[in-house]
Amino acid sequence: MTDGHPRHPAGGADADVVIVGARCAGSAAAIALARAGRRVIAVDSARFPSPTISTHLMWPGGLAELARLGALDRVAALGAPRLPLASVEIPGVRAVGGYSAVDGISYAMCARRAGLDLALVETARAEGAEVREGCRVTGLLWSEGRVAGVEVNERGGRSYALRAPVVVGADGRRSTVARLAGAADPYLRRRDGRACYYAYFADPDESLRAVASQWRQGAELGTAFPCDGGLTLVLLMPPDARAPDFRKYPEKEYDRTIDELLPGLAERLRGCARRSRVFGAAGLESYFRVSAGPGWALVGDAGHFKDPVTAQGIRDALRFGRLMGESLADTDLSAGEVDAVLAEGERRRDRECLEAFYWTDRTGRADPVGPLDVEMHRALRAGPALMTRFLDVYSRIIRPSEALTTPRLAGWTARALLRPGTDRPALLRFVARTVRELRQERREAHRMRRYGHETHR
């Protein structure tokens, strides 16, 4: 434990912890460490404020993590509106509801990443962390089989070493730390079924700027999330098979998708004007990587990534970055204690994230709207309490299986089978496939809980 005052690192090290990456996960870890009096240096190749590809919606659970870090006021000052309502719509059925509170926060928020990340960096510095911008890590330092620091190349040419008993990789999906530590290849992976393309629209109608909205029609999915600057983030998630069309003519295909394939979204955007180019990513893969080793660890997307369809990434980056920082701050930084803390942090992440990973994978598939979707949306529309329960999954208050219970799914299936016009053989094939997948997921989760990742190391 510390008394909250910075201590000089032992053994000639430059810091107690070096963090590679200073966005959500990296800043969260730096805040927790510096708050406890640890000497922490975070390095990032960017100079802040700096945008990055991100859909950046935060549910109440994510905002609660910002509050725990002391960064929520800075983020709120960016001007993103509170979003106390969520709307999900398929043809003929729209359900609207509110959230359960997490630490007194009962709204979502969509703050653009340039401002969000700068707010986190400023909070880290205010707590006493050193954040070095424009610095790229080019190598790891090793000593007696342990990571003992990093090699840094500053923008402009100066190179130097930073030594520390712990190196945390918070450097995203293409993590340099993961690659150099031999952990880049995931031990659990899923190819995402949808691509992501988004742009920002000027959104003058204030009456619409309190709702985070989603539309599905056929196999298409689109969202509108009001954000700061008087703008609304409009995200399309077409089937990944359509990525070549977007790659060839991104703006034309983006506009056509809204106008021709998502009429509900087109109506929402009446009177709005696009104010940015189209940003995009396709061919995404969700994964877990081995995220702890001798003297090193991975947090945020460096260690675990989920399809953006359920907007879980920022919350998880903040949470597990903070928890790692708090746990490391309570150690004496001896090799054995550090390695035990890092390994337990990885296990805790997996316990909390595995079911959400599988749920997100199923949610992100490019399946067309089907009879079960219709019954679920009708139930959500008829029951505000159920809609809130459904949103609690997104905030990670409850597990997916606690909202999408077996009796509930069975009831929706029965009603769909009895409804005239239902393609019953297709529905039964879908249900059978889902049951098989759920069984496989349970077996996979059991193996991970019982045996850990030893076979992957």
Side-chain angles (χ1 to χ4, degrees), residues 16 21 50-51 78 82 118 126-127 192 205 221 247 251 261 348-349 364 414 429 433 435 446 449:
D16 293 319
S50 171
L78 299 170
R82 294 184 178 188
L118 178 60
E127 292 288 355
D192 296 353
D205 190 344
L221 186 154
R247 189 158 49 244
E251 310 220 341
L261 304 180
R348 178 172 184 169
R349 179 203 66 186
R429 286 194 298 271
R433 185 191 78 179
V435 169
H446 175 72
R449 286 192 298 268

Side-chain angles (χ1 to χ4, degrees), residues 372-406:
L372 274 184
D373 296 299
V374 173
E375 298 303 329
M376 182 182 78
H377 280 72
R378 284 177 171 150
L380 295 175
R381 181 179 62 184
L386 179 60
M387 180 66 173
T388 297
R389 189 78 167 162
F390 176 76
L391 293 172
D392 286 347
V393 178
Y394 287 80
S395 276
R396 303 286 281 282
I397 297 171
I398 61 172
R399 298 189 305 275
S401 58
E402 294 177 274
L404 301 172
T405 63
T406 299

Side-chain angles (χ1 to χ4, degrees), residues 108-418:
M109 185 179 289
C110 188
R112 288 176 293 172
R113 286 294 298 274
L116 171 65
D117 293 353
L118 178 60
L120 287 163
V121 167
E122 289 174 339
T123 303
R125 284 176 168 147
E127 292 288 355
E130 182 179 352
V131 181
R132 301 185 184 182
E133 303 175 45
C135 295
R136 184 168 59 91
V137 167
T138 58
L140 296 178
L141 305 177
W142 295 83
S143 176
E144 300 180 351
R146 301 181 59 77
V147 171
V150 297
E151 298 170 353
V152 179
N153 181 259
E154 278 188 354
R155 196 178 297 177
R158 186 172 78 94
S159 297
Y160 58 89
L162 280 176
R163 298 187 179 277
V166 187
V167 170
V168 174
D171 48 346
R173 291 185 296 119
R174 297 178 178 86
S175 170
T176 297
V177 175
R179 175 175 57 82
L180 294 173
D185 191 37
Y187 61 81
L188 178 60
R189 67 208 315 166
R190 294 285 191 274
R191 174 64 181 257
D192 296 353
R194 295 184 180 275
C196 299
Y197 299 95
Y198 68 89
Y200 296 96
F201 284 68
D203 190 12
D205 190 344
E206 290 295 328
S207 68
L208 299 175
R209 291 182 58 75
V211 187
S213 303
Q214 179 193 93
W215 293 263
R216 287 181 59 203
Q217 183 148 346
E220 302 298 322
L221 186 154
T223 65
F225 303 143
C227 57
D228 50 302
L231 301 173
T232 285
L233 168 71
V234 178
L235 167 68
L236 307 184
M237 299 191 73
D240 198 63
R242 291 187 57 209
D245 297 332
F246 279 84
R247 189 158 49 244
K248 190 172 183 180
Y249 302 111
E251 310 220 341
K252 178 180 177 182
E253 194 63 19
Y254 179 91
D255 293 340
R256 186 187 76 83
T257 299
I258 294 173
D259 293 340
E260 298 180 14
L261 304 180
L262 288 165
L265 176 56
E267 178 61 28
R268 165 63 177 85
L269 295 177
R270 189 183 299 275
C272 300
R274 183 154 55 83
R275 293 293 188 233
S276 76
R277 69 178 181 88
V278 174
F279 303 89
L284 296 173
E285 180 181 74
S286 301
Y287 55 79
F288 285 88
R289 289 174 175 146
V290 172
S291 297
W296 63 270
L298 305 175
V299 291
D301 290 353
H304 166 54
F305 177 77
K306 287 186 282 295
D307 187 313
V309 70
T310 56
Q312 300 294 301
I314 293 176
R315 179 264 184 194
D316 282 353
L318 296 172
R319 176 171 178 78
F320 295 107
R322 173 180 64 82
L323 290 174
M324 175 177 289
E326 291 173 350
S327 297
L328 283 172
D330 283 341
T331 72
D332 62 9
L333 295 182
S334 62
E337 192 171 358
V338 161
D339 292 352
V341 162
L342 298 180
E344 176 52 32
E346 180 183 22
R347 287 191 292 269
R348 178 172 184 169
R349 179 203 66 186
D350 291 359
R351 287 194 302 270
E352 292 189 22
C353 291
L354 189 59
E355 187 174 338
F357 174 84
Y358 290 131
W359 161 67
T360 297
D361 176 59
R362 292 192 300 273
T363 302
R365 292 177 186 171
D367 293 331
V369 174
L372 274 184
D373 296 299
V374 173
E375 298 303 329
M376 182 182 78
H377 280 72
R378 284 177 171 150
L380 295 175
R381 181 179 62 184
L386 179 60
M387 180 66 173
T388 297
R389 189 78 167 162
F390 176 76
L391 293 172
D392 286 347
V393 178
Y394 287 80
S395 276
R396 303 286 281 282
I397 297 171
I398 61 172
R399 298 189 305 275
S401 58
E402 294 177 274
L404 301 172
T405 63
T406 299
R408 194 165 281 148
L409 291 169
W412 294 342
T413 301
R415 283 195 287 275
L417 288 169
L418 293 173

Side-chain angles (χ1 to χ4, degrees), residues 419-432:
R419 197 171 295 279
T422 296
D423 184 340
R424 294 180 178 86
L427 174 57
L428 291 173
R429 286 194 298 271
F430 176 82
V431 170

